[in-house]
């Protein structure tokens, strides 16, 4: 294992939108910045060919946007090491942080954690094959609903996100069928009532099927139907649709951080949501891996920017780490 003796000002874990957004700001502020990325830069958004909700671009493809973000960060001196999976971090006695990858060890004054999340999968046949909005499987209604204007879609899930996204889909699709494996939703009562009210309207385009699971997503070149099974009666049907939206949760990529920072029961990194500080001084968090994240491209980039801005405050005065957000938010307090 090679140990670099060079001291970085900031090491960013993850080269997705949050990590690249952070790197642009830290490197432009002349902080020696290194991004450690386990695969190639880009993260989740590199798998999509059409983004319509990133401010400033009417439409752009994921890889194209990432190339611009990466070039911009590198033009100010940010270094990116690909194929470098971070496996552990340790806070040293002198206040610096040791970051270990499978092959190398680095030392840095600060860290921005941006390892992102993955959508939880149903794990049924056809899900991977049709995984793109173009082919019909999506995990983000906010991102992809407009591509299903006047089409028929099936949504899967029963929590807050599933209900919110289903209501959003119903503004675009001609028919939305929400399937849920139980006989009642886990979502808040307010949201559940709103959904039920909408489903009960005359000529509603919203249908709810309880006690129902999807066992396969089917089609030739794109989604044409989904195989549904009623878990109580065991009855199966082929249900026609143009798309399947899966809202069964997110899995943050934070297993390697257990014991280093605090995580929620679901694995999201705990932080103060104003300045994105974790419990470890000098370690910030940004993007989809943090508690309360909006799970959007623009907010991930925005998080990266916030963390990079706050890093300067920490370098100026390490005691700032322990200040409560509410004190700092007093007018003139920051
Ligand atoms: C198909 C698809 C389409 C989408 N479309 C839209 C859209 O149209 N609009 C929108 O706003 N949002 C969209 N999103 C959501 C958006 O992509 C995410 O909100 C955003 O990518 C989150 O950025 P992030 O940097 O926090 O995490 P990620 O994008 O997940 O990036 C994290 C990076 O960290 C790396 N990493 C993880 N663990 C480690 C480790 N231990 N060591 C080193 N590197 C590590 C990963 O390889 C990855 O590159 C879409 C998502 C998907 C999957």
């Amino acid at each position: 294992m090679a140990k670099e003796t060079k001291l970085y000002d900031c090491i960013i874990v993850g080269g997705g939108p949050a990590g690249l957004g952070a790197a642009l700001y830290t490197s432009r502020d002349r902080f020696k910045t290194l991004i450690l990325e386990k695969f190639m830069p880009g993260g989740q958004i590199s798998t999509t060919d059409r983004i319509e909700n990133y401010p400033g671009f009417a439409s752009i493809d994921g890889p194209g946007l990432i190339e611009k973000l990466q070039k911009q960060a590198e033009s100010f001196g940010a270094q990116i090491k690909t194929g470098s999976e971070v496996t552990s971090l340790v806070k040293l006695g002198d206040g610096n942080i040791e970051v270990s990858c499978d092959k190398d060890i680095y030392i840095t004054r600060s860290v921005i954690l941006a390892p992102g999340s993955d959508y939880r999968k149903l794990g049924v046949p056809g899900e991977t094959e049709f995984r793109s909005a173009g082919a019909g499987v999506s995990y983000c209604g906010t991102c992809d609903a407009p591509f299903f204007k006047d089409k028929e879609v099936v949504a899967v899930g029963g929590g807050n996100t599933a209900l919110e996204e289903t209501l959003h889909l119903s503004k675009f699709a001609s028919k939305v069928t929400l399937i849920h494996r139980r006989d009642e939703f886990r979502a808040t009562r307010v949201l559940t009532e709103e959904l039920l009210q909408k489903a009960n309207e005359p000529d509603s385009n919203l249908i709810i099927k309880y006690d129902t699971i999807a066992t396969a997503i089917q089609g030739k070149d794109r989604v044409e139907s989904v195989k549904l099974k009623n878990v109580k009666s065991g009855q199966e049907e082929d249900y026609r649709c143009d798309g399947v939206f899966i809202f069964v949760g997110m899995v943050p990529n934070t297993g390697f951080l257990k014991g280093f920072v605090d995580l929620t029961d679901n694995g999201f990194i705990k932080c103060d949501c104003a300045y994105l500080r974790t419990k470890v001084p000098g370690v910030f968090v940004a993007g989809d891996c943090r508690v309360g994240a909006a799970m959007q491209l623009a907010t991930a980039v925005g998080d990266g920017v916030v963390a990079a801005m706050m890093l300067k405050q920490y370098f100026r005065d390490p005691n700032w780490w322990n200040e409560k957000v509410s004190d700092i938010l007093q007018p003139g307090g920051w």
Side-chain angles (χ1 to χ4, degrees), residues 15-277:
L20 292 170
L24 166 60
Y25 272 64
T26 54
S27 57
R28 192 161 175 271
D29 272 331
R30 311 245 193 287
F31 292 127
K32 196 180 281 295
T33 299
L34 173 67
I35 297 183
L36 296 172
E37 164 55 52
K38 77 170 161 181
F39 301 127
M40 294 299 288
Q44 300 169 56
I45 205 69
S46 356
T47 60
T48 192
D49 53 7
R50 190 144 51 123
I51 307 160
E52 292 187 336
N53 60 357
Y54 191 71
F57 294 91
S59 178
I60 186 164
D61 62 299
L65 180 64
I66 288 300
E67 195 187 333
K68 287 181 197 297
L69 281 169
Q70 181 180 342
K71 277 197 180 143
Q72 200 177 0
E74 285 177 332
S75 74
F76 291 107
Q79 270 179 271
I80 303 180
K81 290 208 173 172
T82 54
S84 295
E85 178 169 7
V86 174
T87 49
S88 67
L89 295 98
V90 177
K91 179 84 176 171
L92 303 174
D94 61 4
N96 291 328
I97 299 143
E98 188 180 86
V99 181
S100 300
C101 292
D102 31 8
K103 291 185 219 83
D104 305 306
I105 300 178
Y106 305 89
I107 305 289
T108 177
R109 295 168 66 202
S110 72
V111 168
I112 298 177
L113 299 170
S117 294
D118 282 328
Y119 292 111
R120 196 183 297 281
K121 311 289 179 315
L122 282 181
V124 299
E127 182 175 13
T128 310
E129 194 184 334
F130 298 118
R131 188 192 166 162
S132 75
V137 172
S138 170
Y139 298 83
C140 180
T142 309
C143 313
D144 296 333
F147 305 133
F148 292 83
K149 194 165 182 314
D150 301 327
K151 305 253 190 255
E152 297 184 6
V153 300
V154 166
V156 185
N160 286 335
T161 304
L163 268 59
E164 264 175 28
E165 292 280 60
T166 298
L167 284 164
H168 181 69
L169 282 168
S170 70
K171 294 178 197 156
F172 295 86
S174 57
K175 181 170 120 183
V176 185
T177 305
L178 174 64
I179 64 162
H180 181 43
R181 62 190 166 144
R182 301 213 172 83
D183 57 6
E184 63 180 50
F185 294 115
R186 281 189 330 276
T188 60
R189 196 189 294 177
V190 175
L191 210 45
T192 304
E193 282 170 6
E194 189 183 336
L195 184 97
L196 296 180
Q197 197 183 349
K198 167 101 192 175
N200 288 332
E201 279 170 10
D203 302 326
S204 175
N205 64 346
L206 188 52
I207 295 166
I208 300 170
K209 282 180 179 275
Y210 297 101
D211 300 317
T212 301
I213 57 171
T215 55
I217 298 169
Q218 307 166 134
K220 201 162 163 244
D221 300 320
R222 49 163 302 123
V223 172
E224 290 167 15
S225 69
V226 57
K227 193 175 266 306
L228 301 181
K229 180 178 178 181
N230 185 296
V231 290
K232 288 195 171 148
S233 66
Q235 203 174 342
E236 290 191 307
E237 62 177 313
D238 282 336
Y239 197 79
R240 209 210 78 70
C241 63
D242 304 295
V244 180
F245 282 78
I246 300 167
F247 308 120
V248 293
M250 300 289 295
V251 186
N253 301 317
T254 55
F256 67 105
L257 295 168
K258 268 186 203 148
F260 179 64
V261 290
D262 284 343
L263 304 175
T264 65
D265 291 345
N266 295 332
F268 290 95
I269 300 170
K270 289 189 184 173
C271 63
D272 78 72
C273 292
Y275 301 126
L276 308 182
R277 296 169 295 188

